Amino acid sequence: MKSLPKGFRGAAIAAGLKSTGALDLTLIENTGPLFDAAAVYTSNKVVAAPVIWSREVTKGKLVRAAVLNSGGANACTGPQGFADTHHTAEKVGELLGISSGEVVVCSTGLIGELLPMPKIFAGLETISAAMKTDSLDDVSRAIMTTDSVPKVATANIKGTEFAAIAKGAGMLAPALATMLSVVMTDAVLPKNAQEIFTRVTDRTYNRIDSDGCTSTNDTVLLMGSGASGVALSESELEAALMDVCGSLAAQLIADAEGSTKTVAITVTGAASESDAVEVARACARNNLLKCAIFGADPNWGRVLAAVGTADAQMDPLNIDVILNGVHVAKESAPFEDKNLVSFAERLVSLEVNLNVGSAIATVMTNDLSHDYVEENSAYST
Amino acid sequence: MKSLPKGFRGAAIAAGLKSTGALDLTLIENTGPLFDAAAVYTSNKVVAAPVIWSREVTKGKLVRAAVLNSGGANACTGPQGFADTHHTAEKVGELLGISSGEVVVCSTGLIGELLPMPKIFAGLETISAAMKTDSLDDVSRAIMTTDSVPKVATANIKGTEFAAIAKGAGMLAPALATMLSVVMTDAVLPKNAQEIFTRVTDRTYNRIDSDGCTSTNDTVLLMGSGASGVALSESELEAALMDVCGSLAAQLIADAEGSTKTVAITVTGAASESDAVEVARACARNNLLKCAIFGADPNWGRVLAAVGTADAQMDPLNIDVILNGVHVAKESAPFEDKNLVSFAERLVSLEVNLNVGSAIATVMTNDLSHDYVEENSAYST
């Protein structure tokens, strides 16, 4: 029952959205004195009603509350779905005495079904009467879908506190791959917090890639209460955010129930960081390569075949591959004996050196396993 | 033992490249009087030695022979691999009394290993002494890797003959997804045969997409002997090529051993044909959607989530989804009961109407199954 940062209250209940009776609805309130906010949303063109709503809310960079539910994504639900999101924000506004336009709404679960609104309204009545400061654990549990454990990260810097929660990601949320995260802090944020938060998101959450599928609901929200009275510099904020978001990203990839391996793909010698990310992502999304890793098969030819599909500067005849420390390919040809590669550990380290520059990036992914197919083949029925 | 078109001879043997003792080396000779050729290669930046060689050969649009082997891709094999390809072409030139610069070389199999050249040289000696016209069946079998059946298509138009062979494609060639195809005809080809062949390839082979992985060795070759003396018009050639290449593409997707469903994804109402292809391909490559189809789960939300990732003109709130004839989503929201969708047949028809234009395209793919993971997790070891 860890505490939220100063200036935050929250609570969660089982509103009956999940058939299991687990926590499925939570409310987080920023009681100020500041109500700074920044947010990053899914890049998918098809977005859920809560994303359409929340994108408008966070344009003003002022957020007083966030309401999040699991047990239903409220995506592809038409005008009624949007009205439901709107009414949820209005209900929260009414209960907390704030404007609905200051309320972010997040949903996660199955696409294409309307939420049971009476249960949400009743749940919010109960929650709003039970708001407390030591609710970090409850809040983190209420957004879980197929996650096996709740994800929480905290940090302290210069007397300020950060507490962050997250759920989902690809293989561990085989349903919809929805990623939700809320970062709370009592620090006074610098003016360009949005810019910093976008950059941190890009280097943490956007560098875990379980299956290349982006969701209709992905939302990452930063809320600052300023209650510590301590103003952080840009670099201090960035360091604290890298800490909590980096930790959560690692927790997400580690909780990939359908996987047997975590693969850290590091591309070195790239002409630019974006080239390095592009090449790493091409590997992370290559099914043949991911199956080979599941099978503990040091088939580095699939690495080069994947690298060659990336839109990045390279010399196809001068690429090196180092797999779990074994330099299996040099100048795009066999080098050390691939049978020396051990797959005994869960973590697999794959390094690709493009030998054309000095930029580096790492993307984390998982293998493609029988359990991935199993979990994702029988979700909605 | 079907015959090759007039002006062609061929033969195949088991040269010992495959441990099974199956046919693995074949030679096709165009004896003229014309030696017209066109070719399309993999878009992968990392290409095998035979592709580097053959791209140069076909620039001249004159090809007298093609030598193809299974049992080894000769990809990522460095300068020695390229020398081996060069020597193979020289050997064929010597045996047939033609220039090595008129010999296309194709290889398929595992990446990163050198070919056993003495076996190839010995095999070519034997083959070149056994060239015959009724070798279509042998020639088609010699390029098989994990294909369960050889793929052959023939066509006749205005007294000309077309005979075409193919191997591979994604799930049915779990190794490397290499696609090789040779189309032989005794027609006199129009001047812009390359342009027509590229367009046909784009609308046939490039619209089957088992797993989105492109290979280092993909080669599609057209050879025209002109031996019929009949000149085809552009539209006649295009019709005949669409016939044989379309048939082979369908055979490739039907032979997907690791799959349980063939999925025809048709995008209608697109602003352009390229938009339609882009959206269909986004669906064909979405693991979550492909797992749902394996599980006979009418989870159309995954269709919209996949569509939304495509770089194409769309109105996210006005997309229709018709799954096996059931109009499951209209205006991006639930419409007919998804439980009416039957998955009894192998063929699954998925239609996505973008409602923004009148362009249409179909891409064929497969589901993502346990057998896909199994076949691809234990290939090289």
Side-chain angles (χ1 to χ4, degrees):
Chain A
M1 300 296 277
K2 273 190 250 172
S3 281
L4 304 177
K6 285 187 285 294
F8 287 91
R9 303 190 308 158
I13 61 158
L17 308 176
K18 281 179 182 165
S19 57
T20 57
L23 294 177
D24 52 20
L25 184 66
T26 183
L27 183 57
I28 295 170
E29 184 187 11
N30 178 355
T31 58
L34 302 176
F35 308 97
D36 294 334
V40 177
Y41 298 96
T42 179
S43 60
N44 203 306
K45 291 184 185 67
V46 174
V47 297
V51 170
I52 298 172
W53 172 266
S54 299
R55 278 201 297 221
E56 290 304 311
V57 168
T58 51
K59 274 183 186 163
K61 298 183 182 178
L62 190 160
V63 172
R64 285 180 191 256
V67 54
L68 306 92
N69 76 272
S70 49
N74 195 10
C76 305
T77 43
Q80 183 61 48
F82 188 77
D84 288 347
T85 289
H86 189 173
H87 292 146
T88 301
E90 283 183 330
K91 182 75 179 178
V92 169
E94 198 184 295
L95 291 166
L96 300 180
I98 61 178
S99 160
S100 64
E102 300 163 341
V103 180
V104 162
V105 182
C106 301
S107 299
T108 178
L110 189 63
I111 295 180
E113 294 187 358
L114 290 167
L115 293 172
M117 292 308 293
K119 290 181 179 175
I120 288 182
F121 288 149
L124 287 173
E125 297 264 2
T126 310
I127 289 182
S128 64
M131 300 290 277
K132 54 190 180 177
T133 59
D134 60 345
S135 52
L136 184 58
D137 186 56
D138 280 357
V139 163
S140 67
R141 287 179 184 276
I143 58 173
M144 290 166 67
T145 49
T146 55
D147 306 61
S148 72
V149 290
K151 283 95 183 171
V152 175
T154 58
N156 297 281
I157 183 166
K158 288 186 65 178
T160 68
E161 289 188 333
F162 286 73
I165 59 170
K167 62 93 25 178
M171 229 174 278
L172 62 151
L176 303 161
T178 300
M179 215 231 93
L180 297 182
S181 178
V182 180
V183 182
M184 296 159 270
T185 178
D186 53 21
V188 176
L189 303 182
K191 278 230 166 85
N192 60 343
Q194 175 68 54
E195 186 190 316
I196 294 166
F197 193 51
T198 300
R199 189 160 61 229
V200 168
T201 297
D202 188 47
R203 292 187 173 179
T204 53
Y205 298 125
N206 283 348
R207 296 208 180 157
I208 54 174
D209 193 334
S210 271
D211 55 18
C213 302
T214 65
S215 134
T216 52
N217 290 58
D218 295 342
T219 301
V220 183
L221 176 67
L222 169 65
M223 299 170 82
S225 71
S228 68
V230 180
L232 293 185
S233 71
E234 295 178 14
S235 62
E236 288 161 352
L237 175 64
E238 184 152 352
L241 290 176
M242 280 301 291
D243 187 352
V244 292
C245 296
S247 166
L248 288 172
Q251 292 178 51
L252 291 171
I253 209 81
D255 190 24
E257 291 167 9
S259 76
T260 71
K261 302 285 184 201
T262 295
V263 190
I265 304 164
T266 300
V267 175
T268 62
S272 66
E273 184 177 339
S274 63
D275 267 15
V277 171
E278 181 74 20
V279 169
R281 220 178 266 291
C283 294
R285 294 181 176 179
N286 190 284
N287 282 354
L288 293 173
L289 172 56
K290 289 157 74 99
C291 284
I293 290 169
F294 170 64
D297 177 358
N299 191 346
W300 57 266
R302 290 187 185 170
V303 176
L304 286 185
V307 168
T309 65
D311 184 18
Q313 193 185 320
M314 66 182 78
D315 172 358
L317 297 176
N318 189 21
I319 301 168
D320 287 22
V321 179
I322 297 104
L323 188 54
N324 274 345
V326 181
H327 200 143
V328 287
K330 187 173 167 67
E331 296 178 359
S332 303
F335 191 55
E336 290 181 3
D337 183 0
K338 67 180 181 182
N339 295 311
L340 296 174
V341 177
S342 163
F343 286 96
E345 304 294 324
R346 178 182 169 91
L347 183 66
V348 174
S349 159
L350 170 61
E351 182 189 334
V352 175
N353 190 337
L354 295 177
N355 292 309
V356 293
S358 57
I360 296 180
T362 298
V363 167
M364 305 288 292
T365 190
N366 299 105
D367 57 343
L368 180 51
S369 67
H370 284 302
D371 283 353
Y372 177 88
V373 173
E374 191 61 28
E375 291 193 21
N376 287 295
S377 62
Y379 182 74
S380 82
T381 50
Chain B
M1 301 295 278
K2 273 192 250 171
S3 282
L4 303 177
K6 284 187 285 294
F8 288 91
R9 302 190 308 157
I13 60 157
L17 309 176
K18 283 179 181 165
S19 57
T20 58
L23 294 177
D24 52 20
L25 183 66
T26 183
L27 182 58
I28 295 171
E29 182 186 12
N30 178 355
T31 58
L34 302 177
F35 308 97
D36 294 334
V40 177
Y41 297 96
T42 180
S43 59
N44 203 306
K45 290 183 185 67
V46 175
V47 297
V51 170
I52 297 172
W53 171 267
S54 299
R55 278 200 298 219
E56 290 304 312
V57 169
T58 53
K59 273 183 185 161
K61 298 183 181 178
L62 190 159
V63 172
R64 286 178 190 257
V67 54
L68 306 92
N69 76 271
S70 48
N74 195 8
C76 306
T77 43
Q80 184 60 49
F82 188 77
D84 288 346
T85 290
H86 189 173
H87 292 147
T88 302
E90 283 182 331
K91 181 76 181 176
V92 169
E94 197 184 297
L95 291 166
L96 299 181
I98 60 178
S99 158
S100 64
E102 300 164 340
V103 180
V104 163
V105 182
C106 301
S107 298
T108 178
L110 189 64
I111 295 180
E113 296 187 357
L114 290 168
L115 292 172
M117 292 308 293
K119 291 182 180 177
I120 287 182
F121 288 151
L124 287 173
E125 297 265 2
T126 310
I127 288 183
S128 63
M131 300 290 276
K132 53 190 181 176
T133 59
D134 60 345
S135 53
L136 184 57
D137 186 56
D138 280 357
V139 164
S140 67
R141 287 179 184 277
I143 58 174
M144 291 167 66
T145 48
T146 56
D147 306 61
S148 72
V149 290
K151 283 94 183 172
V152 174
T154 58
N156 296 280
I157 184 167
K158 287 186 67 181
T160 68
E161 290 189 333
F162 285 73
I165 60 170
K167 64 93 22 180
M171 227 172 279
L172 62 152
L176 303 162
T178 300
M179 214 229 95
L180 297 182
S181 178
V182 180
V183 182
M184 295 160 268
T185 178
D186 54 21
V188 176
L189 302 182
K191 279 228 167 86
N192 60 344
Q194 175 68 56
E195 186 189 317
I196 294 165
F197 194 52
T198 300
R199 190 160 61 228
V200 167
T201 297
D202 189 47
R203 292 188 173 179
T204 53
Y205 298 126
N206 283 348
R207 295 211 179 154
I208 54 175
D209 194 334
S210 272
D211 54 18
C213 303
T214 66
S215 132
T216 52
N217 292 59
D218 296 341
T219 301
V220 184
L221 176 67
L222 169 65
M223 300 170 81
S225 71
S228 69
V230 179
L232 293 185
S233 71
E234 295 178 15
S235 62
E236 287 161 351
L237 175 64
E238 184 152 353
L241 289 175
M242 280 300 292
D243 187 352
V244 292
C245 296
S247 166
L248 288 173
Q251 290 177 52
L252 291 171
I253 208 83
D255 191 24
E257 291 166 10
S259 76
T260 72
K261 302 285 184 200
T262 295
V263 191
I265 304 165
T266 300
V267 175
T268 63
S272 66
E273 184 177 339
S274 63
D275 267 16
V277 171
E278 180 74 20
V279 170
R281 221 177 267 290
C283 294
R285 294 180 176 181
N286 189 284
N287 282 355
L288 293 173
L289 172 56
K290 289 157 75 100
C291 284
I293 290 170
F294 170 64
D297 178 357
N299 191 347
W300 58 265
R302 289 186 185 171
V303 177
L304 286 185
V307 169
T309 64
D311 184 16
Q313 192 185 322
M314 66 181 76
D315 172 358
L317 297 176
N318 188 21
I319 300 168
D320 287 21
V321 179
I322 297 103
L323 190 53
N324 273 347
V326 182
H327 200 143
V328 288
K330 189 175 165 65
E331 294 177 358
S332 302
F335 191 54
E336 290 180 3
D337 182 1
K338 69 180 179 182
N339 295 310
L340 297 174
V341 177
S342 164
F343 286 97
E345 304 295 324
R346 177 181 169 91
L347 183 66
V348 174
S349 160
L350 170 60
E351 183 190 333
V352 176
N353 190 335
L354 295 177
N355 292 308
V356 292
S358 56
I360 295 180
T362 298
V363 167
M364 305 289 291
T365 190
N366 298 107
D367 56 344
L368 180 51
S369 68
H370 285 302
D371 284 353
Y372 177 88
V373 173
E374 191 62 27
E375 291 194 20
N376 287 294
S377 61
Y379 181 73
S380 81
T381 51

